[in-house]
Each structure stands twice: as structure tokens, then as C-alpha cells.
Amino acid sequence: MKPPEAEAQKRLERLAVEAVLQAERKLGHEPKVMPPGWPGYDVESRTPQGTLRFLEVKGKGPGSEVVTLSRTQILTALNKPDAWFLAVVETDGERALRVHYIPTPFVREPDFGATSVNYSLKELLAKAVQVVAL
């Protein structure tokens, strides 16, 4: 049996991915969820012009202060700088409110031994180039 916080985290992740799918469709894109464990991003989305966008989805509830990204996610972003976006889904804990699209927010790869890196949620949201209200 999973601890309650693990169940809550899973629910938030599902909520966030569903919100990004909704936002992408609202923008006229054709999104598709990647298989569980897919490295580097969660959603692949095709624009009306045929361009692919790679979206790493992070759901954040009230009181959240950091976003944790894996080394693989950061390296994927750096390798696809024009197509990779961090999609931070702002929630009230139960429902999605807004999706913030942040283009490649990293300037360099993490230290060799780092498996993940924490970023300030506030600083990331300040870099958003598009916000879709749900």
C-alpha cells in the first residue's frame, strides 16, 4: 500500500498532465502523452504548422516553492532548445488553474554527479512566455 503523500503526488501528476492536454488543445495543438518513464518530457504536441513541442509537466499546489527536474530532463531541454518547454501547472490542490509555459529555463547542464536539480518556482514562473487559464 502506498503512503497517502505518494497517492496525493500521483493524483497531482495526473491532474497536471490532463491540464496540459487541455491547454494544448485549446491552443489548437495535437498533444499525446508519452509512455510512463519516458525520458526527458511527458507530452509531445504537434502545432498546426507541424512543429513538435516537447513538454515536461510539473504540477504545483499551494505552498510549493521548488520545481525538481532530473538530469535527463535538463539535458533533453538543452538538446532541443527551440522545442522543449517546462509546463508548470498551477493548482489549488484539487483542480488545475493555469498552465505556465517556460522555454528551456536552463543555461548549462547539471554537475556530473547531479541526478536532479531544484529550481525556484517563483523564478521559473517569471520566465513564462505563455499562460493558459483553464
Side-chain angles (χ1 to χ4, degrees), residues 65-127:
E65 294 182 8
V66 298
V67 175
T68 303
L69 290 141
S70 72
R71 176 179 180 78
T72 301
Q73 292 162 345
I74 296 167
L75 293 176
T76 302
L78 292 170
N79 286 325
K80 301 178 184 299
D82 296 329
W84 191 96
F85 290 83
L86 176 59
V88 176
V89 179
E90 187 182 346
T91 76
D92 65 4
E94 295 298 321
R95 52 189 185 91
L97 306 172
R98 286 172 282 286
V99 178
H100 302 259
Y101 289 94
I102 304 151
T104 314
F106 324 109
V107 293
R108 66 180 187 284
E109 63 184 71
D111 291 339
F112 182 76
T115 57
S116 64
V117 179
N118 288 333
Y119 293 88
S120 162
L121 177 59
K122 183 179 176 182
E123 288 182 26
L124 286 174
L125 294 181
K127 295 179 180 182

